[in-house]
């Protein structure tokens, strides 16, 4: 079956850098996505890596190593508003786009 | 441009009852996927609708059913509610044919509590 592992909680201070890791096991792989979800809010798409390497979007970057079945989300210059849950996700290899398998999420708490 | 909208936002039901949740996808999107998110967990895929038909289904019993209308809006129906059905139900829409990044646009969800 398919599974994704990520830490349950991470705490950091404003202005710091934090890395959220994700390891995955899947019989077929299309790419690794990251979503952010504030309490009571909708998950919102952050990034997607299909190939090895680092993708940078503003303060957020995402990395993928297909050979290690591993990726991470890097958040720089942390702000209080970054406090949220972060989910890594892969497409179900038996399914189409829109059929994603999510990790259990990492709750990030940013302290002043 | 309105994003994905869902209704109702919150509802309380008792065991054995039936519930219908509604979703309007983002403008221009024709594919709707439904997810269940239990507290402290990631979303779990229920099913996907495209061209008014169920295209894929996750590991959910037949008590979960759905419908898509010609305007691409969708409904999720759950019959014979169980306590374990208490969760946030998320609707997600995507572009025709999907995007290369597989980006989904989620609504804020319907919070169902079963007593």
């Amino acid at each position: 079956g398919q599974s994704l592992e990520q830490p349950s909680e991470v705490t950091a201070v404003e202005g710091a850098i934090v890395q959220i890791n994700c390891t995955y096991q899947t019989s077929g792989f299309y790419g690794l996505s990251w979503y952010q979800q504030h309490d009571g809010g909708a998950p919102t798409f952050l990034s997607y890596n299909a190939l090895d390497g680092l993708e940078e979007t503003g303060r957020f970057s995402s990395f993928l190593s297909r050979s290690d079945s591993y990726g991470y989300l890097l958040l720089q210059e942390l702000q209080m508003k970054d406090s949220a849950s972060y989910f890594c996700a892969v497409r179900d290899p038996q399914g189409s786009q829109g059929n994603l398998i999510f990790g259990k999420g990492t709750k990030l708490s940013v302290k002043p | 441009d309105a994003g994905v909208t869902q209704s109702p936002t919150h509802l309380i039901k008792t065991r054995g009852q039936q519930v219908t949740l509604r979703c309007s996808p983002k403008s221009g999107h024709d594919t709707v996927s439904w997810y269940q998110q239990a507290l402290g967990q990631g979303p779990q895929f229920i099913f996907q609708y495209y061209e008014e038909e169920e295209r894929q289904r996750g590991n959910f019993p037949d008590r979960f059913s759905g419908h898509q209308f010609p305007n691409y809006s969708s409904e999720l129906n759950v019959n014979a509610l169980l306590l374990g059905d208490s969760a946030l139900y998320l609707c997600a829409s995507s572009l025709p044919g999907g995007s290369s990044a597989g980006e989904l646009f989620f609504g804020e969800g319907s919070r169902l509590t079963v007593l």
Side-chain angles (χ1 to χ4, degrees):
Chain A
Q2 277 57 241
S3 67
L4 298 98
E5 296 290 332
Q6 50 182 131
S8 58
E9 293 184 28
V10 173
T11 301
V13 296
E14 261 188 311
I17 299 172
V18 72
Q19 178 174 313
I20 299 173
N21 299 318
C22 174
T23 57
Y24 59 87
Q25 284 188 316
T26 179
S27 55
F29 182 75
Y30 293 88
L32 185 69
S33 301
W34 289 92
Y35 284 79
Q36 177 193 60
Q37 185 179 32
H38 288 96
D39 282 347
T44 56
F45 175 83
L46 290 177
S47 67
Y48 174 76
N49 295 70
L51 303 175
D52 288 357
L54 190 68
E55 296 278 345
E56 298 181 65
T57 310
R59 296 187 297 113
F60 294 3
S61 304
S62 57
F63 171 83
L64 177 67
S65 169
R66 294 172 67 116
S67 60
D68 295 322
S69 297
Y70 162 76
Y72 65 73
L73 180 68
L74 190 73
L75 298 83
Q76 303 182 73
E77 301 172 18
L78 281 174
Q79 301 176 9
M80 297 296 290
K81 68 179 182 179
D82 297 329
S83 293
S85 291
Y86 293 83
F87 297 89
C88 56
V90 296
R91 174 176 157 180
D92 186 330
Q94 309 300 323
S96 69
Q97 291 180 351
N99 183 347
L100 296 182
I101 300 169
F102 285 83
K104 291 186 177 181
T106 299
K107 187 174 179 66
L108 170 64
S109 298
V110 180
K111 307 294 185 184
Chain B
D1 176 26
V4 178
T5 58
Q6 294 187 242
S7 63
T9 55
H10 296 82
L11 68 166
I12 300 173
K13 294 286 188 178
T14 57
R15 281 179 297 173
Q17 285 190 312
Q18 179 263 345
V19 68
T20 297
L21 309 177
R22 296 175 177 83
C23 170
S24 292
K26 186 175 170 62
S27 177
H29 290 188
D30 63 357
T31 302
V32 173
S33 302
W34 286 92
Y35 285 80
Q36 180 193 66
Q37 186 176 24
L39 203 61
Q41 302 293 314
Q44 188 173 0
F45 178 78
I46 302 174
F47 44 51
Q48 183 181 81
Y49 276 84
Y50 172 71
E51 292 188 341
E52 301 180 49
E53 292 195 357
E54 183 182 292
R55 184 160 71 172
Q56 288 183 49
R57 188 177 187 90
N59 188 25
F60 280 81
D62 291 344
R63 298 187 297 109
F64 289 76
S65 63
H67 188 78
Q68 186 179 35
F69 299 93
N71 67 352
Y72 308 127
S73 67
S74 178
E75 288 182 350
L76 164 67
N77 301 291
V78 187
N79 295 321
L81 284 168
L82 304 174
L83 295 179
D85 295 331
S86 295
L88 180 67
Y89 288 85
L90 294 164
C91 171
S93 70
S94 49
L95 289 165
S99 70
S100 59
E103 179 178 0
L104 294 181
F105 294 80
F106 282 89
E108 295 199 345
S110 295
R111 171 75 63 188
L112 171 64
T113 302
V114 182
L115 302 177

